[in-house]
C-alpha cells in the first residue's frame, strides 16, 4: 500500500517539524497538519518565516521548500481526516491536573477526542499512527474507540506506534538523520501491511537498517524508557555535581573521565541547574504511575528518585544564590541570562529558570531576565501557572529585557539558566563595570570562562565545581 495523503492532528513542536520534514523528503505525499488552535495555524502559514510558532534551526528552510507544494497547515480537521489514508496523532499528553492519577498520569483526553473524531469522520479504512508519547497499552484504548464509536459500516483501522525521539533545538537535524525510527504494530497480516506502509514513508530518506519494527507494546514502552534513561543520566551527573562542589572535584572532569568508558559514553553528562522541557518529568511521572498501577512499587520508587533529584538541583541553585549574597536578596537585582529550558529553542515548558525565579521572588528579589528567543508574555504565563502569587506581583517582581547588558546593569548577581552560545561572547568586562560589587556570577550551565571571569574580578560559581 502506497501512502499518498497524510494528515497530522496537532501542529505543535512535534507535529509541525516532523510533518515538514516528511513533506520535504516525500514530495509525492500530500501532508496536511491540522490543529484547533487557529492562531498557531495562522503562524504556520505566515509569509514571514520568522513568525513560525516553533523556533528550530533549519525549520524555516524546510517549510519554505514544502509549504504550498505538498505541505499544508489548516484548521479543517474533518476534511484532512477524511482525505488521508494515514493519520498521525501528535497532540499534547500533559500530566493530569485533576482526579484519578492527578500529578502523575498522562492526561489522554486530547488523544481520546482525536480517536472519536477520526471514528466519526472516516469513510474508508485508515492507518492511525500514535506520534504522541503515550502510556503503554494506549493503542488498545484507541482501537476500542475507533472500532466502537464510528458509523459502524465495516471500516477497518490499524493502529501503529511511531514515537518521536527528536530533541528541541536540534529537531530538524534529528529528523533528517535519526538514530532510529521505531514503528510498532499488530503482528497480524493487516498489521504488517500497515507497518510496511509507514516504513516506506521513512525509507525515502532513512536507511533501512535504522528503521526498527516491533510489536506495539514494545514501541510504546520504549519511548517512556528512552526518556527515563536520558533524564536519569542528567540526575545522576547532577547528584555528583553537588558532591563535587563539596570535595574539590570538578564535575566536568569527572564526566569526561567516566564518559571515555565506552560502556558509559560521553553524551548527556552535562551537569546543569536541572533538566526541563515538556517531556522528561511528565514521562517519568507517567512511568511511575504505570508501575504503581501494576503494584510495582520498587520500580516506581526507583524512577521517582530521578525527579526528586532534579527538584533538589533547581532548589539548591536558588538557595546557593541567597546564601552567597549574605543570606538576603531582598530588593537586590538578580539578572537571569536565559529562560528557555535549553538553548536554540523558544520553548520554556518546565524550564529550571521558572522555578529558580519563583524561589528568588519568594525572597523578594528583583529578577531581570534576558532570553534571545522567549517573549515577555511567555515568562509571565510560566510564573502565573505556578500560582505562587498574584499575577500583578509576578509583573512587579520580574522584569524582561531586550538587551542583555541592560538586564545586567546594576545587578548584584547574574545567574546563567540557559546555555545559549551568545552568552559566551559577551563583553564581560563591560558587564562587570556596570554591576554592584562584589559582582557574582552563578553559572548554572557551566558555559563561561572561569579564568577570564575571575581575572576581571567576578566572584564566579559554577555548577559542580567548588568556588
Ligand atoms: P504541543 O503542545 O506543542 O502541540 C500539541 C498541539 O495539539 C497543540 O497545538 C494543540 O492545539 C493540538 N491539539 C490538541 N488537541 C487537539 C485536537 N483534538 N484536534 C486538533 N489539535 C489538537 O505538544 P508537542 O510538544 O508537539 O508534543 C506532542 C506530543 O509529542 C506529546 O505527547 C509529547 O510528549 C510528544 N513529544 C514531544 C517532544 C518535544 O520535543 N516537544 C518530543 C517527542 C515527543
Ligand atoms: C528529550 C529527548 O532528548 C528526546 O529524545 C525526546 O524525544 C524528547 O525529550 C521528548 O520526548 O520530548 P528535549 O527535552 O527536547 O528532548 O531536550 P534534551 O536535549 O533531552 O534536554 C532536556 C533537558 O535536559 C534540558 O533542560 C537540558 O538542558 C537538560 N540536559 C540535557 C542537561 O542538563 N544535561 C545534559 O547532559 C543533557
Amino acid at each position: 500500500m502506497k501512502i499518498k495523503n497524510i494528515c497530522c492532528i496537532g501542529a505543535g513542536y512535534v507535529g509541525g517539524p516532523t510533518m515538514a520534514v516528511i513533506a520535504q523528503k516525500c514530495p509525492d505525499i500530500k501532508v496536511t497538519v491540522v490543529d484547533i488552535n487557529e492562531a498557531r495555524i495562522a503562524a504556520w502559514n505566515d509569509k514571514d518565516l520568522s513568525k513560525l510558532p516553533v523556533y528550530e534551526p533549519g525549520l524555516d528552510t524546510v517549510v519554505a521548500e514544502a509549504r504550498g507544494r505538498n505541505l499544508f497547515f489548516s484548521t479543517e480537521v474533518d476534511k484532512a481526516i477524511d482525505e488521508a489514508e494515514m493519520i498521525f496523532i501528535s497532540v499534547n499528553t500533559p500530566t493530569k491536573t485533576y482526579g484519578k492519577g492527578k500529578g502523575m498520569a498522562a492526561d489522554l483526553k486530547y488523544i481520546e477526542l482525536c480517536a472519536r473524531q477520526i471514528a466519526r469522520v472516516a469513510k474508508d479504512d485508515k492507518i492511525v499512527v500514535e506520534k504522541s508519547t503515550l502510556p503503554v497499552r494506549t493503542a488498545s484504548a484507541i482501537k476500542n474507540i475507533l472500532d466502537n464509536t464510528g458509523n459502524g459500516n465495516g471500516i477497518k483501522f490499524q493502529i501503529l506506534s511511531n514515537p518521536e525521539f527528536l530533541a528541541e533545538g536540534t529537531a530538524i537535524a534529528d529528523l533528517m538523520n535519526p538514530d532510529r525510527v521505531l514503528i510498532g504494530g499488530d503482528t497480524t497480516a493487516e498489521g504488517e501491511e500497515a507497518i510496511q506502509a509507514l516504513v516506506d514513508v521513512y525509507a525515502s530518506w532513512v536507511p533501512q537498517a535504522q528503521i526498527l519494527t516491533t510489536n506495539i507494546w514494545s514501541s510504546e514502552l520504549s519511548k517512556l524508557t528512552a526518556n527515563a534513561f536520558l533524564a536519569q543520566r542528567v540526575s545522576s551527573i547532577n547528584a555528583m555535581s553537588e558532591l563535587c562542589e563539596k570535595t574539590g572535584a570538578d564535575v566536568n572532569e569527572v564526566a569526561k573521565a567516566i564518559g571515555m568508558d565506552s560502556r558509559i559514553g560521553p553524551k548527556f553528562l552535562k551537569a546543569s541547574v536541572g533538566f526541563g522541557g515538556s517531556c522528561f518529568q511528565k514521562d517519568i511521572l507517567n512511568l511511575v504511575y504505570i508501575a504503581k498501577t501494576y503494584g510495582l512499587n520498587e520500580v516506581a520508587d526507583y524512577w521517582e528518585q530521578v525527579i526528586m533529584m532534579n527538584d533538589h538541583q533547581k532548589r539548591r541553585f536558588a538557595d546557593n544564590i541567597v546564601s552567597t549574597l549574605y543570606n538576603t536578596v531582598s530588593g537586590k537585582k538578580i539578572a537571569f541570562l536565559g529562560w528557555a529550558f535549553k538553548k536554540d529553542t523558544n520553548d520554556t515548558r518546565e524550564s529550571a529558570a521558572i522555578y529558580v525565579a519563583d524561589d528568588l521572588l519568594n525572597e523578594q528579589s528583583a529578577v531581570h531576565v534576558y532570553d534571545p528567543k522567549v517573549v515577555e508574555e511567555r515568562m509571565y504565563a510560566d510564573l502565573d501557572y505556578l500560582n505562587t502569587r498574584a499575577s500583578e506581583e509576578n509583573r512587579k517582581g520580574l522584569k524582561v529585557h531586550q538587551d542583555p547588558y541592560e538586564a545586567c546593569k546594576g545587578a548584584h548577581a547574574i545567574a546563567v539558566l540557559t546555555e545559549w552560545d551568545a552568552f559566551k561572547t559577551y563583553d564581560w568586562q563591560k558587564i562587570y563595570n556596570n554591576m554592584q560589587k562584589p559582582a557574582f556570577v552563578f553559572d548554572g550551565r557551566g558555559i563561561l570562562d572561569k579564568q577570564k571571569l575571575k581575572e576581571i574580578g567576578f566572584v564566579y560559581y559554577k555548577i559542580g565545581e567548588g568556588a
Side-chain angles (χ1 to χ4, degrees):
M1 177 187 189
K2 176 126 180 50
I3 300 297
K4 293 230 157 310
N5 217 315
I6 285 177
C7 159
C8 173
I9 309 180
Y13 282 86
V14 170
T18 307
M19 292 303 129
V21 168
I22 290 183
Q24 191 210 30
K25 298 291 185 184
C26 308
D28 298 338
I29 301 179
K30 180 180 174 194
V31 180
T32 309
V33 193
V34 291
D35 205 296
I36 41 176
N37 182 335
E38 289 178 12
R40 219 168 205 190
I41 290 298
W44 279 112
N45 283 322
D46 204 304
K47 281 204 185 66
D48 179 355
L49 290 167
S50 72
K51 301 253 173 65
L52 295 182
V54 170
Y55 172 72
E56 281 292 339
L59 175 64
D60 48 357
T61 319
V62 178
V63 171
E65 184 185 328
R67 197 177 59 187
R69 178 187 74 186
N70 64 325
L71 174 66
F72 302 92
F73 294 94
S74 163
T75 51
E76 292 182 275
V77 184
D78 283 2
K79 180 165 179 274
I81 290 173
D82 180 31
E83 284 175 6
E85 299 112 28
M86 182 176 269
I87 301 158
F88 286 77
I89 302 181
S90 189
V91 299
N92 36 331
T93 50
T95 304
K96 258 185 112 173
T97 53
Y98 55 89
K100 196 174 165 208
K102 177 180 174 180
M104 298 284 265
D107 191 342
L108 299 181
K109 69 177 170 205
Y110 306 109
I111 297 287
E112 179 168 344
L113 280 172
C114 290
R116 287 180 184 274
Q117 192 163 3
I118 295 169
R120 178 171 54 74
V121 171
K123 296 205 242 358
D124 49 16
D125 295 354
K126 306 279 184 204
I127 298 171
V128 175
V129 185
E130 299 173 343
K131 188 45 113 180
S132 298
T133 302
L134 297 170
V136 57
R137 298 204 70 85
T138 303
S140 72
I142 294 181
K143 176 102 178 102
N144 204 279
I145 292 167
L146 289 171
D147 287 348
N148 294 302
T149 63
N151 33 29
N153 46 8
I155 295 168
K156 292 202 181 63
F157 295 99
Q158 278 299 321
I159 323 289
L160 299 178
S161 158
N162 173 221
E164 186 47 61
F165 295 100
L166 68 79
E168 289 179 27
T170 54
I172 298 302
D174 294 342
L175 288 163
M176 298 267 189
N177 196 8
D179 284 351
R180 80 315 208 171
V181 166
L182 178 58
I183 302 172
D186 268 3
T187 44
T188 57
E190 296 84 358
E192 303 278 351
E193 198 191 334
I195 291 174
Q196 192 55 45
L198 185 53
V199 167
D200 290 343
V201 172
Y202 283 108
S204 301
W205 79 97
V206 180
Q208 287 281 354
Q210 268 134 265
I211 304 179
L212 181 65
T213 59
T214 65
N215 84 34
I216 197 148
W217 317 127
S218 305
S219 174
E220 286 181 335
L221 189 55
S222 296
K223 175 62 195 177
L224 292 182
T225 310
N227 274 358
F229 270 59
L230 289 168
Q232 181 245 49
R233 273 175 81 95
V234 178
S235 274
S236 295
I237 200 70
N238 280 345
M240 300 320 290
S241 75
E242 191 170 12
L243 196 53
C244 285
E245 287 166 26
K246 297 282 181 234
T247 56
D250 172 347
V251 76
N252 288 319
E253 292 180 352
V254 172
K256 185 166 183 191
I258 63 165
M260 284 172 77
D261 185 326
S262 60
R263 293 169 302 176
I264 296 175
K267 293 183 182 163
F268 248 73
L269 288 177
K270 184 87 189 119
S272 67
V273 55
F275 62 73
S278 61
C279 291
F280 279 176
Q281 174 163 310
K282 152 178 95 64
D283 292 348
I284 293 180
L285 289 173
N286 184 8
L287 190 63
V288 169
Y289 182 74
I290 294 168
K292 281 191 177 153
T293 308
Y294 287 105
L296 308 179
N297 292 327
E298 291 76 8
V299 177
D301 289 350
Y302 176 78
W303 288 109
E304 196 163 16
Q305 199 61 37
V306 173
I307 303 286
M308 288 159 75
M309 186 61 227
N310 196 49
D311 287 341
H312 170 68
Q313 189 75 350
K314 291 183 271 191
R315 210 170 310 117
R316 84 178 182 86
F317 185 77
D319 273 1
N320 185 35
I321 295 178
V322 178
S323 54
T324 308
L325 268 65
Y326 319 108
N327 265 331
T328 177
V329 289
S330 178
K332 290 181 182 168
K333 176 173 177 178
I334 315 270
F336 275 26
L337 291 181
W339 188 266
F341 82 98
K342 62 184 285 197
K343 72 172 179 178
D344 294 337
T345 177
N346 61 347
D347 195 348
T348 65
R349 291 177 287 182
E350 289 300 326
S351 179
I354 305 167
Y355 296 91
V356 176
D358 192 50
D359 282 357
L360 294 177
L361 290 174
N362 281 342
E363 296 282 343
Q364 301 178 350
S365 165
V367 179
H368 289 242
V369 189
Y370 169 75
D371 186 288
K373 288 288 170 199
V374 181
V375 295
E376 182 169 338
E377 281 316 306
R378 182 71 257 153
M379 296 184 200
Y380 290 128
D382 289 337
L383 277 177
D384 290 349
Y385 187 75
L386 297 184
N387 251 328
T388 313
R389 63 192 74 72
S391 190
E392 309 81 70
E393 294 296 311
N394 284 330
R395 272 149 224 267
K396 230 188 274 164
L398 185 123
K399 297 286 171 221
V400 184
H401 294 261
Q402 305 305 321
D403 173 46
Y405 296 96
E406 282 301 314
C408 297
K409 200 180 218 167
H412 289 260
I414 294 172
V416 180
L417 275 308
T418 311
E419 74 280 25
W420 287 100
D421 289 333
F423 297 165
K424 295 185 243 179
T425 66
Y426 287 172
D427 181 346
W428 283 95
Q429 182 68 56
K430 178 174 157 191
I431 290 174
Y432 177 81
N433 294 345
N434 291 326
M435 281 178 70
Q436 306 278 348
K437 307 295 174 326
F440 295 94
V441 170
F442 297 89
D443 188 350
R445 295 293 186 159
I447 55 166
L448 300 178
D449 185 339
K450 172 183 177 180
Q451 192 67 27
K452 196 171 114 194
L453 264 71
K454 287 200 153 181
E455 274 165 26
I456 292 174
F458 283 104
V459 184
Y460 177 72
Y461 288 87
K462 187 179 198 164
I463 211 95
E465 211 183 307

